[in-house]
Amino acid sequence: MTVIIAGERSGVGKTTVTLAILSYLKQQNFKVQSFKVGPDYIDPMFHLYVTGKPCYNLDSILTSESYIKTCYFKQILASDYGLIEGVMGLFDGIPNGDNVPIASTAQIALILNLPVILVLDCSRLSGSIAAITLGFKTLNPHLNLAGLILNKVGSDRHLELLKTSLKFLNIPIIGILKRQENIEIPARHLGLIPTEELPELDLLIQDLAKLAESWFDWEQLLPLLKYTPKTEFFKETAFLNPSVEPRIKIAIARDAAFNFYYAENLEILQQLGAELIEWSPLTDHQLPPGIQGLYFGGGFPEVFAEKLSQNQLILQAVKQAILLGMPTYAECGGLMYLCEKIIDFENNSWSMVGVLPTTAVMGKRLKLGYYQAKVLKTTPLLLEGEIITGHEFHRSELLENSTQPLYEMQRFFSVENNTSILEGWGNLPNVHGSYLHLHWGDKIEIPMRFLECCRNYQP
């Protein structure tokens, strides 16, 4: 069995609870596998930092129910314990007419038939905690609410009131976090600050592991976390022979500015015969030798725009490689890097690669959501006419849109007037540049096309 850590809303402490449990288990030298519900990149970075193993995203919109099962059962096999961190509140997702919203934590729990532990923010309430919990328990009777974690408990008297109110529900209290012990993980405009930018993260993880000993009732929690092998069949994806030579060399931009990558995307590339060569647009002054393709993930180029702009040698090297026809995938932050300029939150303008004749400007409004997109122009990854689904999460916008957009997009399952928007840059045939994040889990044809373009690249 593996348990899902859910919240009654965003900001109740799911990530803190999850990291505390993972830290404690890792300190005890257990093999732990973690997962994250939804499209988030940053929480999985923290999971990886603690466990030393990639964290895998479970998202029924970006992938499918069958892929979620395949991913979960494949990755959990070699572990002693497993843990899934939910997204937002337990029932937060895209409404579909019943009480299991699409892409919600509740949907993932039902797909995998796993129990849920609910984290509750107990500040500013006492007796009302029972009404909140009862609602979560009864909204969908098929869900197994296996326990509660009470966060931000103010005092022993406060805890007594909470326990008294919850007693009649007969739901075990698995953990208690006192308000004064609450640990805050630094955040900014797109969520938590990534692990690479937190020099004191080791101390935080050590503190979490120590506090976890007293926070949780381990006699109740460990059996829920313990993975019990099951007979569920999972379908192995048919990959090319990974030992095929020569391997296709793909340069992966990976540093503090670019670090939004789904673990599956990178693993699939490797399984298809790619050699992934990591490099840094912040500190390297030349591209890795012999590469056949470029992959720029998302991240925070706006935070490091000055340093990126100062590295003129690499900006020119990237520009030259792209103009010579090197296949290039640039996603969100990567798209911004390929623009002529980035204008940051302080209205400072910084020069970038300049192969896309537009400027990325940081704004206050968060652009967030799932989109279904029709491909308007063939790229190294997609064919004209295909329909794909992706996710956007950014605070920048482009001053000039492309005269050759990649996508015609609509919000996924929007209940409002769902107008189409044009997005992405297709002005160079070898470049796929878009704000839309793609997960390749059950779309093997996408990375296969990319690698084939890279294999055929002739500068």
Side-chain angles (χ1 to χ4, degrees):
M1 189 178 294
T2 305
V3 75
I4 297 179
I5 302 297
E8 33 104 357
R9 73 192 77 181
S10 293
V12 298
K14 293 190 304 294
T15 300
T16 300
V17 166
T18 298
L19 294 180
I21 294 172
L22 293 176
S23 300
Y24 178 81
L25 293 175
K26 188 64 177 177
Q27 189 183 71
Q28 306 304 308
N29 294 318
F30 291 117
K31 291 181 289 186
V32 188
Q33 181 59 60
S34 70
F35 302 85
K36 171 66 182 178
V37 178
D40 181 64
Y41 289 99
I42 300 178
D43 287 350
M45 293 183 200
F46 282 85
H47 292 208
L48 168 63
Y49 192 93
V50 172
T51 67
K53 298 178 66 176
C55 169
Y56 295 89
N57 293 73
L58 305 175
D59 191 301
S60 61
I61 295 177
L62 295 183
T63 60
S64 64
E65 291 191 16
S66 62
Y67 180 79
I68 288 168
K69 293 178 181 178
T70 296
C71 176
Y72 169 75
F73 288 111
K74 178 181 179 180
Q75 302 301 338
I76 197 69
L77 281 176
S79 299
D80 300 315
Y81 295 97
L83 186 62
I84 301 174
E85 180 181 355
V87 60
M88 302 175 68
L90 178 59
F91 294 100
D92 291 328
I94 297 177
N96 64 342
D98 60 19
N99 54 6
V100 190
I102 301 170
S104 66
T105 304
Q107 186 193 35
I108 301 302
L110 292 172
I111 289 172
L112 296 176
N113 190 27
L114 295 176
V116 172
I117 294 177
L118 186 65
V119 181
L120 295 154
D121 182 347
C122 300
S123 60
R124 299 182 298 278
L125 57 80
S126 57
S128 297
I129 197 74
I132 295 171
T133 306
L134 181 62
F136 278 94
K137 180 181 180 181
T138 58
L139 184 62
N140 189 313
H142 299 293
L143 278 176
N144 176 13
L145 185 54
L148 305 175
I149 292 177
L150 309 182
N151 193 13
K152 298 185 180 179
V153 176
S155 64
D156 290 341
R157 173 59 178 163
H158 186 203
L159 178 59
E160 182 183 351
L161 293 171
L162 294 168
K163 286 183 172 180
T164 301
S165 301
L166 291 166
K167 188 174 183 179
F168 81 98
L169 295 177
N170 295 317
I171 303 175
I173 296 175
I174 303 290
I176 299 167
L177 284 66
K178 293 294 182 65
R179 189 179 303 162
Q180 63 270 22
E181 293 177 335
N182 191 51
I183 293 179
E184 296 291 338
I185 303 173
R188 61 175 173 229
H189 58 280
L190 291 183
L192 298 181
I193 295 177
T195 55
E196 289 191 36
E197 298 179 56
L198 298 176
E200 297 184 356
L201 184 56
D202 284 339
L203 294 176
L204 174 64
I205 298 304
Q206 291 172 17
D207 288 343
L208 283 173
K210 183 176 180 180
L211 288 168
E213 294 185 54
S214 58
W215 278 355
F216 305 113
D217 183 338
W218 288 100
E219 289 188 7
Q220 295 190 83
L221 181 55
L222 278 178
L224 293 172
L225 296 167
K226 180 70 176 177
Y227 173 64
T228 304
K230 299 182 180 181
T231 59
E232 280 87 346
F233 169 78
F234 67 85
K235 180 178 66 175
E236 283 279 13
T237 305
F239 291 117
L240 301 178
N241 184 353
S243 64
V244 65
E245 297 291 347
R247 298 181 70 80
I248 305 165
K249 295 183 178 181
I250 308 296
I252 307 293
R254 200 158 195 176
D255 55 20
F258 301 98
N259 44 40
F260 288 7
Y261 296 96
Y262 292 126
E264 297 94 324
N265 285 10
L266 300 181
E267 291 174 4
I268 288 171
L269 285 174
Q270 291 174 311
Q271 290 166 323
L272 286 170
E275 178 185 350
L276 305 184
I277 304 172
E278 295 186 2
W279 67 285
S280 170
L282 286 169
T283 60
D284 289 337
H285 299 302
Q286 60 183 8
L287 289 170
I291 60 171
Q292 299 157 272
L294 291 166
Y295 184 175
F296 295 93
F300 292 97
E302 67 274 15
V303 176
F304 300 94
E306 180 178 8
K307 190 172 181 180
L308 289 169
S309 180
Q310 290 172 345
N311 194 351
Q312 285 294 313
L313 288 176
I314 201 64
L315 290 174
Q316 290 302 315
V318 171
K319 184 174 184 177
Q320 182 179 21
I322 292 174
L323 293 180
L324 287 174
M326 184 175 289
T328 301
Y329 179 40
E331 190 177 79
C332 198
L335 168 71
M336 297 167 63
Y337 184 62
L338 298 191
C339 293
E340 292 178 338
K341 298 177 182 178
I342 290 177
I343 298 178
D344 64 20
F345 285 111
E346 286 73 42
N347 207 34
N348 299 310
S349 179
W350 308 103
S351 62
M352 294 291 134
V353 173
V355 294
L356 304 181
T358 187
T359 297
V361 182
M362 301 308 300
K364 294 182 179 180
R365 188 170 70 89
L366 178 64
K367 299 168 182 66
L368 167 70
Y370 294 99
Y371 286 87
Q372 193 169 67
K374 178 181 179 180
V375 181
L376 301 179
K377 188 175 177 62
T378 295
T379 78
L381 285 82
L382 299 171
L383 299 179
E384 181 179 346
E386 284 186 303
I387 304 296
I388 56 113
T389 303
H391 185 267
E392 286 198 0
F393 189 65
H394 57 98
R395 289 189 185 272
S396 68
E397 60 183 358
L398 303 184
L399 287 185
E400 300 86 17
N401 293 320
S402 175
T403 57
Q404 300 181 61
L406 294 186
Y407 299 128
E408 180 182 3
M409 305 196 316
Q410 291 184 326
R411 279 196 174 274
F412 186 87
F413 268 50
S414 176
V415 296
E416 302 173 354
N417 181 25
N418 203 0
T419 56
S420 296
I421 60 173
L422 299 177
E423 200 274 341
W425 277 76
N427 59 324
L428 292 173
N430 58 305
V431 175
H432 182 115
S434 170
Y435 275 116
L436 199 65
H437 294 286
L438 302 179
H439 191 296
W440 301 339
D442 58 355
K443 302 175 182 67
I444 190 68
E445 66 277 5
I446 295 178
M448 287 181 71
R449 287 192 200 116
F450 183 50
L451 289 184
E452 187 62 24
C453 288
C454 295
R455 188 191 302 276
N456 295 331
Y457 166 63
Q458 295 291 335

mmCIF file of all heavy atoms in Angstrom, residues 54-74:
data_model
loop_
_atom_site.group_PDB
_atom_site.id
_atom_site.type_symbol
_atom_site.label_atom_id
_atom_site.label_comp_id
_atom_site.label_asym_id
_atom_site.label_seq_id
_atom_site.Cartn_x
_atom_site.Cartn_y
_atom_site.Cartn_z
ATOM 1 N N PRO A 54 14.232 10.151 -8.716
ATOM 2 C CA PRO A 54 13.284 11.030 -9.409
ATOM 3 C C PRO A 54 11.869 10.858 -8.877
ATOM 4 O O PRO A 54 11.450 9.756 -8.528
ATOM 5 C CB PRO A 54 13.384 10.572 -10.868
ATOM 6 C CG PRO A 54 14.709 9.918 -10.984
ATOM 7 C CD PRO A 54 14.972 9.280 -9.649
ATOM 8 N N CYS A 55 11.161 11.965 -8.799
ATOM 9 C CA CYS A 55 9.743 11.964 -8.435
ATOM 10 C C CYS A 55 8.939 12.014 -9.737
ATOM 11 O O CYS A 55 9.271 12.779 -10.647
ATOM 12 C CB CYS A 55 9.439 13.169 -7.557
ATOM 13 S SG CYS A 55 7.669 13.469 -7.277
ATOM 14 N N TYR A 56 7.884 11.219 -9.824
ATOM 15 C CA TYR A 56 7.123 11.106 -11.065
ATOM 16 C C TYR A 56 5.750 11.773 -10.919
ATOM 17 O O TYR A 56 5.067 11.599 -9.905
ATOM 18 C CB TYR A 56 6.968 9.640 -11.456
ATOM 19 C CG TYR A 56 8.303 9.009 -11.776
ATOM 20 C CD1 TYR A 56 9.071 8.412 -10.776
ATOM 21 C CD2 TYR A 56 8.827 9.055 -13.064
ATOM 22 C CE1 TYR A 56 10.314 7.860 -11.056
ATOM 23 C CE2 TYR A 56 10.072 8.506 -13.355
ATOM 24 C CZ TYR A 56 10.802 7.913 -12.346
ATOM 25 O OH TYR A 56 12.041 7.384 -12.629
ATOM 26 N N ASN A 57 5.369 12.525 -11.955
ATOM 27 C CA ASN A 57 4.090 13.228 -11.963
ATOM 28 C C ASN A 57 2.964 12.300 -12.400
ATOM 29 O O ASN A 57 3.114 11.532 -13.365
ATOM 30 C CB ASN A 57 4.138 14.432 -12.908
ATOM 31 C CG ASN A 57 5.086 15.505 -12.415
ATOM 32 O OD1 ASN A 57 6.301 15.349 -12.475
ATOM 33 N ND2 ASN A 57 4.537 16.595 -11.919
ATOM 34 N N LEU A 58 1.847 12.385 -11.699
ATOM 35 C CA LEU A 58 0.643 11.620 -12.033
ATOM 36 C C LEU A 58 -0.438 12.609 -12.437
ATOM 37 O O LEU A 58 -0.989 13.314 -11.590
ATOM 38 C CB LEU A 58 0.196 10.782 -10.827
ATOM 39 C CG LEU A 58 1.256 9.837 -10.241
ATOM 40 C CD1 LEU A 58 0.726 9.158 -8.984
ATOM 41 C CD2 LEU A 58 1.705 8.804 -11.265
ATOM 42 N N ASP A 59 -0.722 12.678 -13.727
ATOM 43 C CA ASP A 59 -1.624 13.699 -14.247
ATOM 44 C C ASP A 59 -2.497 13.077 -15.332
ATOM 45 O O ASP A 59 -1.993 12.654 -16.376
ATOM 46 C CB ASP A 59 -0.826 14.866 -14.818
ATOM 47 C CG ASP A 59 -1.674 16.082 -15.139
ATOM 48 O OD1 ASP A 59 -2.605 15.948 -15.962
ATOM 49 O OD2 ASP A 59 -1.424 17.161 -14.576
ATOM 50 N N SER A 60 -3.799 13.033 -15.096
ATOM 51 C CA SER A 60 -4.699 12.342 -16.016
ATOM 52 C C SER A 60 -5.030 13.153 -17.257
ATOM 53 O O SER A 60 -5.634 12.622 -18.196
ATOM 54 C CB SER A 60 -6.004 11.979 -15.295
ATOM 55 O OG SER A 60 -6.680 13.140 -14.840
ATOM 56 N N ILE A 61 -4.662 14.438 -17.281
ATOM 57 C CA ILE A 61 -4.877 15.252 -18.476
ATOM 58 C C ILE A 61 -3.644 15.224 -19.365
ATOM 59 O O ILE A 61 -3.731 15.009 -20.575
ATOM 60 C CB ILE A 61 -5.239 16.706 -18.091
ATOM 61 C CG1 ILE A 61 -6.582 16.730 -17.368
ATOM 62 C CG2 ILE A 61 -5.297 17.593 -19.338
ATOM 63 C CD1 ILE A 61 -6.994 18.100 -16.890
ATOM 64 N N LEU A 62 -2.474 15.429 -18.782
ATOM 65 C CA LEU A 62 -1.249 15.408 -19.562
ATOM 66 C C LEU A 62 -0.927 14.001 -20.058
ATOM 67 O O LEU A 62 -0.254 13.843 -21.083
ATOM 68 C CB LEU A 62 -0.082 15.942 -18.740
ATOM 69 C CG LEU A 62 -0.152 17.408 -18.327
ATOM 70 C CD1 LEU A 62 1.115 17.818 -17.591
ATOM 71 C CD2 LEU A 62 -0.393 18.323 -19.521
ATOM 72 N N THR A 63 -1.370 12.980 -19.330
ATOM 73 C CA THR A 63 -1.150 11.605 -19.777
ATOM 74 C C THR A 63 -2.508 10.907 -19.878
ATOM 75 O O THR A 63 -3.364 11.338 -20.620
ATOM 76 C CB THR A 63 -0.178 10.864 -18.842
ATOM 77 O OG1 THR A 63 -0.714 10.817 -17.516
ATOM 78 C CG2 THR A 63 1.171 11.559 -18.802
ATOM 79 N N SER A 64 -2.706 9.822 -19.155
ATOM 80 C CA SER A 64 -3.966 9.071 -19.208
ATOM 81 C C SER A 64 -4.060 8.193 -17.975
ATOM 82 O O SER A 64 -3.072 7.995 -17.250
ATOM 83 C CB SER A 64 -4.016 8.198 -20.469
ATOM 84 O OG SER A 64 -2.990 7.206 -20.424
ATOM 85 N N GLU A 65 -5.241 7.647 -17.726
ATOM 86 C CA GLU A 65 -5.411 6.761 -16.579
ATOM 87 C C GLU A 65 -4.525 5.525 -16.706
ATOM 88 O O GLU A 65 -3.924 5.074 -15.731
ATOM 89 C CB GLU A 65 -6.879 6.356 -16.429
ATOM 90 C CG GLU A 65 -7.789 7.497 -16.008
ATOM 91 C CD GLU A 65 -9.173 7.024 -15.604
ATOM 92 O OE1 GLU A 65 -9.332 5.798 -15.349
ATOM 93 O OE2 GLU A 65 -10.085 7.865 -15.532
ATOM 94 N N SER A 66 -4.443 4.971 -17.905
ATOM 95 C CA SER A 66 -3.618 3.771 -18.083
ATOM 96 C C SER A 66 -2.146 4.084 -17.851
ATOM 97 O O SER A 66 -1.417 3.280 -17.253
ATOM 98 C CB SER A 66 -3.829 3.188 -19.480
ATOM 99 O OG SER A 66 -3.421 4.112 -20.479
ATOM 100 N N TYR A 67 -1.696 5.259 -18.298
ATOM 101 C CA TYR A 67 -0.299 5.601 -18.079
ATOM 102 C C TYR A 67 -0.022 5.831 -16.596
ATOM 103 O O TYR A 67 1.046 5.462 -16.090
ATOM 104 C CB TYR A 67 0.112 6.840 -18.871
ATOM 105 C CG TYR A 67 1.561 7.190 -18.626
ATOM 106 C CD1 TYR A 67 2.574 6.483 -19.269
ATOM 107 C CD2 TYR A 67 1.924 8.168 -17.703
ATOM 108 C CE1 TYR A 67 3.910 6.762 -19.016
ATOM 109 C CE2 TYR A 67 3.261 8.443 -17.449
ATOM 110 C CZ TYR A 67 4.240 7.738 -18.106
ATOM 111 O OH TYR A 67 5.563 7.999 -17.836
ATOM 112 N N ILE A 68 -0.960 6.444 -15.879
ATOM 113 C CA ILE A 68 -0.784 6.658 -14.442
ATOM 114 C C ILE A 68 -0.550 5.326 -13.738
ATOM 115 O O ILE A 68 0.352 5.193 -12.893
ATOM 116 C CB ILE A 68 -2.011 7.385 -13.855
ATOM 117 C CG1 ILE A 68 -2.009 8.851 -14.306
ATOM 118 C CG2 ILE A 68 -2.040 7.290 -12.329
ATOM 119 C CD1 ILE A 68 -3.298 9.581 -14.027
ATOM 120 N N LYS A 69 -1.332 4.316 -14.085
ATOM 121 C CA LYS A 69 -1.149 2.995 -13.484
ATOM 122 C C LYS A 69 0.201 2.405 -13.878
ATOM 123 O O LYS A 69 0.915 1.848 -13.031
ATOM 124 C CB LYS A 69 -2.286 2.065 -13.912
ATOM 125 C CG LYS A 69 -3.649 2.457 -13.362
ATOM 126 C CD LYS A 69 -4.731 1.515 -13.874
ATOM 127 C CE LYS A 69 -6.093 1.913 -13.353
ATOM 128 N NZ LYS A 69 -7.164 1.035 -13.878
ATOM 129 N N THR A 70 0.545 2.517 -15.148
ATOM 130 C CA THR A 70 1.820 1.985 -15.615
ATOM 131 C C THR A 70 2.984 2.641 -14.887
ATOM 132 O O THR A 70 3.897 1.971 -14.396
ATOM 133 C CB THR A 70 1.968 2.207 -17.130
ATOM 134 O OG1 THR A 70 0.967 1.465 -17.815
ATOM 135 C CG2 THR A 70 3.342 1.789 -17.612
ATOM 136 N N CYS A 71 2.955 3.977 -14.810
ATOM 137 C CA CYS A 71 4.027 4.717 -14.157
ATOM 138 C C CYS A 71 4.129 4.340 -12.681
ATOM 139 O O CYS A 71 5.217 4.036 -12.175
ATOM 140 C CB CYS A 71 3.784 6.216 -14.317
ATOM 141 S SG CYS A 71 4.981 7.264 -13.445
ATOM 142 N N TYR A 72 2.992 4.337 -11.992
ATOM 143 C CA TYR A 72 3.006 4.068 -10.554
ATOM 144 C C TYR A 72 3.544 2.674 -10.250
ATOM 145 O O TYR A 72 4.484 2.504 -9.453
ATOM 146 C CB TYR A 72 1.604 4.239 -9.971
ATOM 147 C CG TYR A 72 1.493 3.725 -8.561
ATOM 148 C CD1 TYR A 72 2.029 4.449 -7.492
ATOM 149 C CD2 TYR A 72 0.889 2.500 -8.292
ATOM 150 C CE1 TYR A 72 1.964 3.962 -6.203
ATOM 151 C CE2 TYR A 72 0.816 2.011 -7.004
ATOM 152 C CZ TYR A 72 1.354 2.742 -5.962
ATOM 153 O OH TYR A 72 1.294 2.248 -4.684
ATOM 154 N N PHE A 73 2.978 1.649 -10.877
ATOM 155 C CA PHE A 73 3.370 0.283 -10.531
ATOM 156 C C PHE A 73 4.791 -0.037 -10.989
ATOM 157 O O PHE A 73 5.504 -0.801 -10.328
ATOM 158 C CB PHE A 73 2.371 -0.724 -11.117
ATOM 159 C CG PHE A 73 1.047 -0.723 -10.403
ATOM 160 C CD1 PHE A 73 -0.090 -0.248 -11.020
ATOM 161 C CD2 PHE A 73 0.962 -1.170 -9.098
ATOM 162 C CE1 PHE A 73 -1.303 -0.235 -10.352
ATOM 163 C CE2 PHE A 73 -0.255 -1.157 -8.416
ATOM 164 C CZ PHE A 73 -1.389 -0.690 -9.050
ATOM 165 N N LYS A 74 5.212 0.565 -12.078
ATOM 166 C CA LYS A 74 6.585 0.339 -12.534
ATOM 167 C C LYS A 74 7.593 0.958 -11.580
ATOM 168 O O LYS A 74 8.596 0.322 -11.219
ATOM 169 C CB LYS A 74 6.766 0.917 -13.938
ATOM 170 C CG LYS A 74 8.175 0.767 -14.490
ATOM 171 C CD LYS A 74 8.284 1.373 -15.872
ATOM 172 C CE LYS A 74 9.691 1.266 -16.433
ATOM 173 N NZ LYS A 74 9.808 1.866 -17.785
#
